[in-house]
Amino acid sequence: MNVPAIRRAFVFIFIGFTAGISLAKKPETWTTVKSPNFIVLTNANEKQGRRVAYQFEMIRAVFRQFFNLKGSNKDLPVTIIAAQDEQTLKALLPESWAVKGASHPAGYYLRGLEKSYVALRLDVIMGNGAVEPFEPIYHEYVHYLTRRMVAQLPLWMVEGMAEFYGNTRIEAHQVFVGTPSPSNLMVLRRTQPLPLAVLFAVNHSSPYYHEQNKTSIFYAQSWALMHLLITRDWREGTHHTNDFMVLLGQNVSAEEAARRTIGSLPTLQEALSQYIGRLSFTAARLEAPPGISPSDFQAEAASDAESLAVRADFMARDRHYQEAKAMVEEALKSDPKLAEAHATMGFIVSREGKMDEATTWYAQAVALNSQSCLANYYYAMSLFKGKLNNDAAEKAESSLRSSIKVAPQFAPAYSALGWLLAMRHKNLDEAYLMATTAVGLEPGEVHYRLNAAEVFEMMGQYDNAVRVAKIAAAMAKTIEDENAALAIVSNVQQRQEYEKKSQEQVEALRKEQAEAIAARAGAPRQAEKVSPPTQEDIASGPDSGQPPALQHRDTTSDGNGPAVPVRGVALTAHPLRPELLPIRRVVEGTIKNVMCIGGSTLEMTLSSTGRVLQLYSDNYLKIPYSALNFQPQGVLNPCTGVEGWHARVTYHPSKGQASQGEMLEVGFLKN
């Protein structure tokens, strides 16, 4: 998520500088503190580590309490690296100190789909003179918490909520929620507010969300509006803000939902203007949520290898691969059996494009710690990017199931398993369940919806695929995600049109056959006595635009007499297809020749290492196609323009003829 420009010094860093990390300095003493939802690694003392864990456990508890969230909702722990001083944080974020005049960050939130990190500087965060010390980190952490609550809330509400709860203050045994934000107030006092109609319309492509000179007012005004709405509900004992959110979830327009609940736009605009001009703001003072005590947290000394592995993983995910690799190598010298170090090395080499090597590292991590959710997940994902034959697919499936067993709330594993099962046409009901579970766990994450749409497409649930892809397009935060969603919609609709036309051709051919047979016999025949053609029998009719068939059959029979011509229609016939083996194989190679015959048959010559395969499908409209390393422009058409491309094809081999087979899936790898 973006943050106001005025605070980017806290959480954003400049990219492009590479600095070496000295591993030869005097070894530091690192301590690990584990609370229910956080792991704190610090080179300060244990007491400070416990305090940091307590602060984050409290903001999580306060947020869940305010939204009345029940149950454990057990996420993977967020790792916090609590640096005792500037020098320690500088080693993790070298570029922030490399650029002249750049602000030195006090805290940094690094969020990924699978794993999140916080890095903070204790001598600033815990200092008496700190201004909004935890706000930038709380802001991003609130986004992390809301990913399971919101899917299509307007952007001003999502960001305003993060700003509101980001300004929570935790002091001794009290919590202050909704405390004023000095930085936001400064922006509001010197900048003309946006009309609410403009604020309500801001989305991820809006200049008010991206342009530096406009971003601050968007965040500041979103904070002020959410502060007004929430505190007004507190004072009046109402729940208009929640009612507004409910109506939005029912696809009521923002303006109409506001009119029914929080107030019409003109009324709300006036109330907000008066609110901004006030000198005092309401904050809620709460007793600290019970059951959270720093003394209950587990604390232990971290070995040199363990502390190096954690810091290396942070740097690897922040794209400092060279420095991270040096740290991992140092960790492995100290402890060759440290599973976390093996997993991090797998992550690094995968980013270098060395997928076979990455798979080896991940496999070692799983062997060393079979209960690691992330090691199992990344091992499976590395197999996805390699040669996904039957053996690799079985291993990937097993690892994904292990990942889910260890962490039942881990959405990425559900999403990946759903795709794998659908791709293999295996346990399609479970594939549907896995894909929808991932979306249900994190409805605000667009990637899981994109994956679910592809699963539905592979299952032939075209209406579901289009519906989910359209929702994903509306939610997309980047042009790339929006284009991916729209491409799925286009592909599915094109496939539906192909199948509709194909069925119409079959029906027309059936009717013409019956009429021809009846004309030969001189009397009407019962339609059920005619052997209707299958789709592979469809010929190159006058409207098909397809090349002529390899072989032709220009006669037909009703089974009661000699064959007769069928006027105006040429039917195709292929040599009898060989018997297929009940196994699936995957091959990669270069497409040398493609021919689409009639309305549904596809024949492909694929040149692989040391061999040439003749592959076919007698109903290519049913084959799932995908672009594996590029974003297609428009609809993927397997019949034209793909010669010379690389492809990964899953197929049933022919019995006794290893060079032939029936295609099941095709993934294009464009040069």
Side-chain angles (χ1 to χ4, degrees):
M1 292 289 178
N2 290 350
V3 295
I6 197 169
R7 291 193 298 281
R8 281 184 179 165
F10 282 94
V11 297
F12 282 117
I13 55 180
F14 295 89
I15 298 173
F17 182 85
T18 302
I21 293 179
S22 173
L23 304 178
K25 65 181 182 178
K26 182 180 178 180
E28 296 175 303
T29 300
W30 289 83
T31 301
T32 300
V33 176
K34 295 181 180 179
S35 66
N37 299 286
F38 300 91
I39 298 173
V40 178
L41 177 71
T42 182
N43 59 344
N45 58 51
E46 178 183 320
K47 181 178 179 180
Q48 287 182 304
R50 290 181 183 274
R51 183 181 173 190
V52 169
Y54 176 75
Q55 290 275 340
F56 277 86
E57 287 290 354
M58 288 297 290
I59 188 63
R60 182 180 186 276
V62 166
F63 184 87
R64 289 176 60 79
Q65 177 178 303
F66 260 74
F67 282 91
N68 197 30
L69 300 177
K70 306 295 185 182
S72 62
N73 195 26
K74 189 68 174 178
D75 291 316
L76 289 180
V78 173
T79 300
I80 303 171
I81 303 178
Q84 67 175 346
D85 52 24
E86 178 181 10
Q87 201 63 28
T88 306
L89 192 60
K90 178 181 178 180
L92 295 172
L93 304 172
E95 63 272 46
S96 294
W97 275 260
V99 180
K100 186 177 181 179
S103 298
H104 298 165
Y108 184 72
Y109 191 96
L110 184 64
R111 182 188 169 193
L113 278 178
E114 304 91 19
K115 193 172 187 178
S116 295
Y117 275 100
V118 171
L120 51 83
R121 183 176 155 189
L122 291 176
D123 59 341
V124 174
I125 295 293
M126 298 300 186
N128 293 328
V131 178
E132 300 179 308
F134 279 94
E135 190 281 329
I137 301 172
Y138 281 174
H139 176 107
E140 296 301 320
Y141 182 60
V142 169
H143 279 310
Y144 174 78
L145 293 173
T146 58
R147 77 197 191 284
R148 291 186 172 173
M149 293 177 52
V150 295
Q152 298 184 73
L153 290 181
L155 193 57
W156 69 265
M157 198 167 207
V158 172
E159 297 296 346
M161 192 182 303
E163 289 285 288
F164 181 85
Y165 286 99
N167 281 282
T168 298
R169 301 286 185 271
I170 300 170
E171 299 178 4
H173 300 292
Q174 292 183 327
V175 179
F176 296 86
V177 180
T179 57
S181 167
S183 57
N184 280 326
L185 286 172
M186 186 183 302
V187 173
L188 290 167
R189 298 282 163 77
R190 70 187 184 191
T191 309
Q192 183 68 28
L194 302 172
L196 286 188
V198 174
L199 185 73
F200 276 32
V202 170
N203 57 31
H204 290 91
S205 62
S206 170
Y208 285 100
Y209 190 66
H210 290 288
E211 290 183 11
Q212 186 169 354
N213 64 331
K214 295 180 179 179
T215 302
S216 294
I217 186 58
F218 167 73
Y219 278 87
Q221 192 170 343
S222 297
W223 165 79
L225 183 53
M226 283 304 299
H227 200 287
L228 165 65
L229 297 177
I230 293 175
T231 57
R232 187 173 65 182
D233 278 341
W234 290 350
R235 290 194 309 272
E236 299 175 0
T238 56
H239 43 78
H240 296 314
T241 306
N242 284 339
D243 294 341
F244 175 71
M245 295 168 68
V246 169
L247 289 178
L248 291 175
Q250 296 171 357
N251 294 319
V252 177
S253 71
E255 291 80 1
E256 176 62 18
R259 187 190 66 79
R260 296 189 203 174
T261 55
I262 59 179
S264 65
L265 293 194
T267 302
L268 203 56
Q269 186 88 55
E270 177 63 25
L272 182 60
S273 296
Q274 294 179 5
Y275 197 70
I276 291 172
R278 296 174 57 174
L279 297 178
S280 62
F281 289 82
T282 301
R285 183 174 63 184
L286 309 173
E287 293 298 320
I292 302 175
S293 173
S295 61
D296 293 336
F297 303 159
Q298 299 176 8
E300 60 184 8
S303 69
D304 291 342
E306 290 168 340
S307 69
L308 279 168
V310 172
R311 287 176 285 154
D313 195 58
F314 172 90
M315 297 198 75
R317 292 171 193 278
D318 201 31
R319 303 183 182 183
H320 291 282
Y321 303 125
Q322 181 178 350
E323 299 95 322
K325 179 179 282 189
M327 296 172 78
V328 174
E329 289 171 347
E330 190 75 11
L332 288 171
K333 288 179 184 177
S334 177
D335 185 355
K337 294 186 177 180
L338 185 61
E340 291 78 5
H342 286 266
T344 299
M345 187 64 86
F347 183 88
I348 294 168
V349 297
S350 71
R351 294 309 183 267
E352 296 173 346
K354 303 173 183 177
M355 294 314 304
D356 289 343
E357 186 179 345
T359 300
T360 300
W361 282 107
Y362 284 133
Q364 291 170 348
V366 172
L368 291 166
N369 183 7
S370 62
Q371 295 303 302
S372 171
C373 164
L374 287 171
N376 276 289
Y377 172 76
Y378 281 122
Y379 174 55
M381 298 309 292
S382 71
L383 291 171
F384 278 16
K385 296 176 182 179
K387 294 182 178 179
L388 196 60
N389 53 30
N390 277 341
D391 181 60
E394 292 293 340
K395 290 178 180 177
E397 180 181 339
S398 176
S399 278
L400 289 172
R401 293 189 185 281
S402 295
S403 183
I404 291 171
K405 184 177 180 180
V406 173
Q409 299 291 317
F410 188 55
Y414 288 98
S415 184
L417 181 56
W419 184 89
L420 179 63
L421 294 174
M423 186 274 292
R424 302 185 73 199
H425 294 276
K426 178 181 177 182
N427 301 337
L428 293 182
D429 289 342
E430 188 181 15
Y432 177 94
L433 177 63
M434 295 295 102
T436 54
T437 297
V439 173
L441 284 170
E442 297 191 21
E445 181 50 65
V446 68
H447 293 95
Y448 301 142
R449 293 181 186 269
L450 289 172
N451 203 51
E454 291 182 345
V455 168
F456 294 149
E457 181 181 2
M458 287 187 282
M459 294 173 63
Q461 295 189 16
Y462 299 141
D463 290 341
N464 269 341
V466 170
R467 176 181 59 81
V468 173
K470 286 182 175 180
I471 294 173
M475 291 173 54
K477 301 176 179 63
T478 66
I479 295 298
E480 291 77 15
D481 287 345
E482 183 178 8
N483 287 342
L486 294 177
I488 293 173
V489 173
S490 179
N491 283 337
V492 172
Q493 290 176 338
Q494 187 70 40
R495 180 170 293 182
Q496 286 178 303
E497 185 64 23
Y498 283 155
E499 294 190 2
K500 178 182 177 182
K501 289 182 178 180
S502 178
Q503 185 61 36
E504 289 173 351
Q505 287 179 322
V506 169
E507 295 298 330
L509 206 56
R510 179 184 291 114
K511 180 179 179 181
E512 191 159 359
Q513 282 183 311
E515 290 174 352
I517 294 170
R520 177 190 62 80
R525 295 277 183 172
Q526 295 296 323
E528 59 269 18
K529 292 184 179 180
V530 179
S531 299
T534 59
Q535 289 195 345
E536 61 263 34
D537 294 324
I538 302 173
S540 301
D543 299 324
S544 69
Q546 299 290 350
L550 293 178
Q551 293 187 6
H552 295 281
R553 181 181 64 201
D554 57 4
T555 59
T556 188
S557 169
D558 63 358
N560 295 320
V564 296
V566 179
R567 298 179 181 177
V569 179
L571 299 177
T572 58
H574 299 280
L576 289 176
R577 300 296 192 193
E579 183 181 352
L580 299 173
L581 295 174
I583 59 175
R584 301 164 67 93
R585 290 180 179 166
V586 178
V587 63
E588 287 189 16
T590 302
I591 301 172
K592 293 300 184 182
N593 184 50
V594 170
M595 180 175 290
C596 287
I597 305 164
S600 61
T601 297
L602 171 67
E603 296 188 349
M604 176 187 294
T605 302
L606 193 73
S607 177
S608 186
T609 305
R611 58 178 175 159
V612 176
L613 285 83
Q614 300 295 332
L615 303 172
Y616 70 90
S617 172
D618 287 332
N619 192 352
Y620 73 84
L621 301 178
K622 293 290 188 181
I623 297 178
Y625 303 96
S626 58
L628 300 182
N629 67 341
F630 67 100
Q631 178 64 47
Q633 298 296 320
V635 179
L636 280 174
N637 187 343
C639 297
T640 60
V642 297
E643 284 87 353
W645 288 15
H646 289 279
R648 178 186 297 162
V649 182
T650 303
Y651 68 102
H652 281 312
S654 300
K655 186 176 182 179
Q657 300 183 47
S659 63
Q660 296 185 22
E662 180 184 42
M663 291 181 285
L664 302 173
E665 294 103 20
V666 177
F668 292 109
L669 295 153
K670 193 174 181 181
N671 295 334

